[in-house]
Amino acid sequence: MPKNRQISINIILVVVMLVSAAIQYKSTYDNRLEKIDIQVDYTLQAVENTIVQPLEQLEIIRLQMVSFLQERGDNGVPDTISIGDSYYINPDSMSVQSSLTGILKTPVMSSQTAFEANAAIKLNAAFEKVIENTPEIKWIYYTSQNQFLNIYPFVDYDSYHVTPETFQYDFFRIISPEENPDRIQKWTKLYNDQVTGELMITISLPVYANDVYYGALSIDYTLNQLSDTLKQQSEDLENYAIFNDFGEVVAISYNSFSADTITLNTEMMKTLTSSEDHEIISEKYLMKTIRVGDQPLFLTSIIDREEMQFYVLRQLYPIMFFIFAALIIVNLYYRAITINNQLLKSEHQFKTLFNQSPQIIVILDKHGKIIDINRFGLNFMKLKREQAIDKAFHELPCWVNPEKAAADIKMQIETTIHNGAFQGEYKMRHHRGSLKNILYSMVPLDEYDSRMMKVVVLGIDVTEQKDLQYQLENMTRTDNLTQALNRRGMMTVLEQNISRTERTGSGFAILLCDIDFFKQVNDTYGHECGDEILVKLVQVMERHLRAYDHIGRWGGEEFLIVLESVNCELGYEIADRLRVAIGTNPFRCSAVSDPIFINVTIGMQYYDLSADVKQNIVNADTALYYGKRNGRNQTICFGKTDMREEARNDREQP
């Protein structure tokens, strides 16, 4: 019976709709997880870049200490002051203000201890440079088996001095030959520094010379930079945490939850680090982990399952609408050719959906003339129904180019008639004048009789989704604080300029701009004021650069600028004019009443196509630090022989 046949078709369409939705849900969910896995790789690289510098600094100083011990140089007794059975170095005898304190085993320091202490004192210059260049390292020190410790920055004897308990602390105990026969670096558990109160981890390296164990080199490393790195990499659906081998939360992004939200017991840690998939699926979170290089750290991505499900469901709205519309249209089509007494009822249902639908729906004949249009479509163009009926579809005011629309619509109708459907995306003009992104589809009606053939046009406004997609893409290329481009965005700009230069021959310049004595600004006025100055510095740069130049935050208070279509002379002129403009601009902070003036040093490299991007940036950086060492507040163009020689000497020094 026709009624039973209609019910069967409806059941089939509903099953198709549910199966399609399930397939689309699974596909969207898996695609999103794949994108997240790719982002984890970028985050891992960012984390490794954050921690590689302090580890490299520690290894360099260890090699330097080994060299001093093997040379067996100065054997004189250091100038020390004794207090009971302990001693400390006379501060007046130190060229770099550091602290050396120890325990006297005999009334007079042994020659072996004196030799080793002199070697440790030689490290002070390197200690000073490491602390200056790496703010995340708060303390750096050498601890000897001969019961003395040399530490930088300076700490007076009353604040801290060596006691027998010092050599039982984890940072020294875990590096001993008994507990560390492989002679590798070791990390401690988290702790609060007894001087500064900051949360830290100590990283230690054993010092062996001529296969003899002398002691340990250690750095106390703060975790703020790691958390900032994770926060910059996190997204709405994905956050990150870093755990150590002890299951402690070393760093975490705080976008939507705090560290208290995540608990990691021994069993969970074992599962994350040893399972093949490195995955834990709980009722609330999906967690995946990966080891950070060869360090005792694990980067874990944390996805809120509920938010992930909402995200995927939102992606199903268009397909659910189209399938639902197809269900209604097929029912109307079937009823129209079976029983006349159902036609009016079906038309009424269709008209209700037709006019209440929040999408543009237009019914055309096979020549492109409008047979009907729903209320949403009329409101979109601010037309009355009689102004649209019997009018050619391409003549409606929504088309940006009516002539092109006429040809396109003719082709689309032919495609729909022969192939059964057409889908595309168009820019359509709203009656207020704005352009909207419309997901545009055609499906056939009355295909049983070519003389009565009609097509239904469905148009869904996806402008908000497009804008959101653009915003999300833009966030991955923009620095959160200053809204300048980040490193990823600037690398894209550099690639575009290299391609244009190779194609057209028009050159460009890269500038590395660093604020002079910015640490003093932060120390004097506070980091919030420092952040305000960074934001306003970008605004000053934008005012004094050309509209097609590019500004990116390269790191901390350092900015990389690309000057397009310049020769070397013009690039230098623009750079130095920018330096002067910054130096004369009064910067104001909300917490400070008086204006603050800053200066910058700029290193410039006119891009050399014979070298790679990294080398060009290194050249600009060399010019920048040449300017820093020679007075600051100046613009230096890379290329001078003495500059190259000085940079080479710097790199050869440990």
Side-chain angles (χ1 to χ4, degrees):
M1 295 177 62
K3 182 71 173 179
N4 292 335
R5 188 180 303 168
Q6 182 181 346
I7 293 173
S8 299
I9 292 177
N10 285 338
I11 292 173
I12 292 172
L13 286 173
V14 169
V15 170
V16 169
M17 179 177 68
L18 294 176
V19 171
S20 299
I23 293 173
Q24 183 65 25
Y25 181 94
K26 181 69 166 58
S27 175
T28 303
Y29 193 96
D30 291 344
N31 288 340
R32 184 59 186 176
L33 287 180
E34 289 178 5
K35 292 178 181 178
I36 289 174
D37 287 341
I38 294 172
Q39 183 62 30
V40 167
D41 292 337
Y42 287 109
T43 304
L44 178 64
Q45 184 63 49
V47 170
E48 289 177 343
N49 290 342
T50 300
I51 66 175
V52 70
Q53 183 180 6
L55 298 180
E56 289 177 349
Q57 298 279 8
L58 186 62
E59 176 61 20
I60 290 172
I61 295 177
R62 184 187 70 84
L63 294 175
Q64 194 171 5
M65 182 62 182
V66 171
S67 175
F68 293 155
L69 293 172
Q70 291 174 338
E71 289 174 1
R72 300 199 64 84
D74 186 4
N75 292 318
V77 177
D79 183 6
T80 60
I81 300 172
S82 299
I83 300 179
D85 61 351
S86 64
Y87 64 91
Y88 67 95
I89 197 75
N90 185 352
D92 296 335
S93 67
M94 306 288 282
S95 59
V96 175
Q97 194 176 32
S98 183
S99 308
L100 188 145
T101 174
I103 300 173
L104 282 171
K105 298 180 180 178
T106 59
V108 179
M109 183 183 294
S110 70
S111 59
Q112 174 62 29
T113 302
F115 155 70
E116 187 181 353
N118 285 326
I121 291 171
K122 291 179 182 180
L123 295 176
N124 287 344
F127 284 179
E128 182 181 38
K129 188 174 182 180
V130 167
I131 295 294
E132 179 182 350
N133 294 335
T134 314
E136 296 77 39
I137 298 178
K138 296 301 181 183
W139 305 97
I140 182 166
Y141 44 95
Y142 172 78
T143 311
S144 170
Q145 284 276 76
N146 284 317
Q147 295 193 313
F148 71 84
L149 181 148
N150 187 33
I151 186 169
Y152 184 90
F154 175 79
V155 181
D156 61 55
Y157 180 87
D158 292 333
S159 297
Y160 178 80
H161 59 273
V162 168
T163 65
E165 289 76 19
T166 300
F167 303 92
Q168 302 302 317
Y169 291 156
D170 284 350
F171 80 90
F172 188 72
R173 178 182 53 77
I174 62 177
I175 213 70
S176 66
E178 296 77 20
E179 292 199 27
N180 186 26
D182 295 331
R183 305 181 182 183
I184 59 175
Q185 67 175 12
K186 289 285 187 175
W187 298 51
T188 68
K189 291 184 176 181
L190 298 177
Y191 65 93
N192 288 315
D193 182 68
Q194 59 182 323
V195 177
T196 66
E198 293 184 85
L199 190 64
M200 293 184 178
I201 284 179
T202 297
I203 307 172
S204 298
L205 268 177
V207 176
Y208 285 82
N210 299 321
D211 212 37
V212 175
Y213 174 69
Y214 281 81
L217 268 168
S218 308
I219 57 174
D220 291 349
Y221 183 73
T222 61
L223 307 173
N224 297 335
Q225 185 64 31
L226 279 176
S227 289
D228 289 343
T229 298
L230 295 184
K231 187 172 182 180
Q232 291 172 6
Q233 296 293 325
S234 63
E235 299 179 350
D236 290 339
L237 291 178
E238 182 183 29
N239 282 273
Y240 296 96
I242 296 178
F243 299 95
N244 60 17
D245 279 342
F246 308 105
E248 297 173 313
V249 179
V250 174
I252 195 165
S253 60
Y254 293 90
N255 282 17
S256 59
F257 56 88
S258 67
D260 297 334
T261 309
I262 302 300
T263 57
L264 203 65
N265 57 38
T266 303
E267 195 63 28
M268 292 175 70
M269 189 68 193
K270 181 179 178 181
T271 303
L272 274 176
T273 58
S274 63
S275 67
E276 183 176 349
D277 296 328
H278 304 295
E279 177 175 319
I280 289 179
I281 300 178
S282 66
E283 183 175 344
K284 186 168 179 57
Y285 295 111
L286 171 63
M287 301 169 66
K288 291 187 177 182
T289 191
I290 184 170
R291 181 178 284 274
V292 180
D294 56 356
Q295 308 306 323
L297 301 176
F298 298 89
L299 173 67
T300 301
S301 65
I302 305 168
I303 304 168
D304 189 303
R305 292 170 58 82
E306 186 174 286
E307 290 182 5
M308 182 70 164
Q309 290 167 355
F310 281 143
Y311 167 84
V312 175
L313 288 174
R314 285 196 298 270
Q315 310 309 307
L316 297 181
Y317 289 163
I319 188 171
M320 294 296 290
F321 170 78
F322 281 118
I323 294 176
F324 183 73
L327 178 64
I328 298 298
I329 292 171
V330 168
N331 270 280
L332 292 175
Y333 167 74
Y334 183 80
R335 291 183 181 186
I337 63 173
T338 52
I339 44 176
N340 290 332
N341 61 345
Q342 290 294 317
L343 181 58
L344 292 177
K345 183 179 179 180
S346 297
E347 279 187 339
H348 176 73
Q349 293 176 342
F350 176 77
K351 286 296 184 182
T352 301
L353 174 66
F354 186 75
N355 283 310
Q356 293 182 357
S357 173
Q359 285 82 31
I360 299 172
I361 304 179
V362 184
I363 301 177
L364 307 176
D365 66 15
K366 64 179 182 179
H367 303 294
K369 186 179 292 186
I370 297 173
I371 298 173
D372 205 352
I373 181 170
N374 72 339
R375 187 179 297 119
F376 185 89
L378 292 171
N379 292 338
F380 184 88
M381 292 169 276
K382 206 170 185 180
L383 293 176
K384 294 181 179 179
R385 190 171 184 277
E386 55 269 22
Q387 292 176 299
I389 299 302
D390 292 331
K391 194 172 186 177
F393 188 31
H394 70 271
E395 294 177 354
L396 292 179
C398 61
W399 298 104
V400 178
N401 188 336
E403 292 78 12
K404 183 177 184 302
D408 288 350
I409 292 168
K410 180 179 179 182
M411 178 274 295
Q412 293 160 11
I413 291 175
E414 292 176 355
T415 300
T416 302
I417 292 173
H418 290 94
N419 299 334
F422 174 85
Q423 185 171 346
E425 188 172 319
Y426 275 87
K427 290 279 188 182
M428 289 189 178
R429 192 181 305 280
H430 191 268
H431 70 82
R432 293 192 180 94
S434 59
L435 292 179
K436 300 289 187 179
N437 292 302
I438 302 298
L439 188 61
Y440 175 97
S441 299
M442 277 189 184
V443 293
L445 280 177
D446 301 327
E447 55 186 351
Y448 67 95
D449 188 344
S450 61
R451 293 173 300 175
M452 300 173 60
M453 179 65 72
K454 293 186 282 291
V455 295
V456 177
V457 179
L458 303 174
I460 301 176
D461 185 354
V462 294
T463 306
E464 290 186 4
Q465 292 91 321
K466 287 283 185 178
D467 290 344
L468 178 59
Q469 180 181 358
Y470 174 78
Q471 292 170 10
L472 292 174
E473 291 174 354
N474 192 50
M475 286 171 61
T476 65
R477 301 185 302 108
T478 304
D479 175 58
N480 289 340
L481 174 64
T482 64
Q483 298 306 304
L485 294 174
N486 58 19
R487 283 196 174 216
R488 181 177 181 183
M490 287 305 296
M491 290 305 295
T492 301
V493 169
L494 286 169
E495 291 171 0
Q496 292 170 347
N497 275 271
I498 292 170
S499 176
R500 181 168 50 251
T501 298
E502 290 174 341
R503 188 175 65 254
T504 66
S506 61
F508 68 98
I510 56 176
L511 313 177
L512 270 178
C513 174
D514 188 83
I515 302 175
D516 297 332
F517 303 112
F518 189 64
K519 184 177 183 298
Q520 295 180 7
V521 175
N522 282 330
D523 291 345
T524 303
Y525 304 107
H527 286 277
E528 290 186 4
C529 181
D531 287 348
E532 287 186 54
I533 287 178
L534 291 177
V535 173
K536 292 176 180 178
L537 175 60
V538 171
Q539 295 170 356
V540 172
M541 289 178 177
E542 289 174 342
R543 289 200 304 270
H544 289 88
L545 291 174
R546 302 167 302 175
Y548 46 86
D549 294 328
H550 304 273
I551 305 167
R553 189 179 182 192
W554 203 242
E557 67 271 20
E558 190 174 57
F559 293 85
L560 189 142
I561 300 170
V562 173
L563 303 178
E564 291 192 0
S565 302
V566 295
N567 55 28
C568 188
E569 291 75 16
L570 178 58
Y572 182 85
E573 178 184 338
I574 295 173
D576 202 54
R577 189 166 62 237
L578 176 63
R579 177 188 64 82
V580 173
I582 293 170
T584 58
N585 184 80
F587 290 85
R588 295 190 177 274
C589 295
S590 56
V592 181
S593 58
D594 295 329
I596 300 171
F597 290 89
I598 61 172
N599 292 313
V600 297
T601 301
I602 298 176
M604 170 182 160
Q605 163 69 13
Y606 190 70
Y607 199 89
D608 181 4
L609 288 177
S610 65
D612 59 17
V613 173
K614 180 179 178 181
Q615 186 58 51
N616 276 272
I617 295 175
V618 168
N619 291 347
D621 187 64
T622 298
L624 168 65
Y625 280 93
Y626 182 87
K628 290 278 189 183
R629 290 189 297 269
N630 292 277
R632 293 182 167 84
N633 190 19
Q634 55 186 308
T635 301
I636 300 295
C637 185
F638 179 80
K640 294 182 179 179
T641 303
D642 57 343
M643 184 191 308
R644 296 170 185 264
E645 187 64 29
E646 189 169 327
R648 186 181 300 111
N649 292 337
D650 281 353
R651 295 189 181 97
E652 291 174 357
Q653 292 179 4

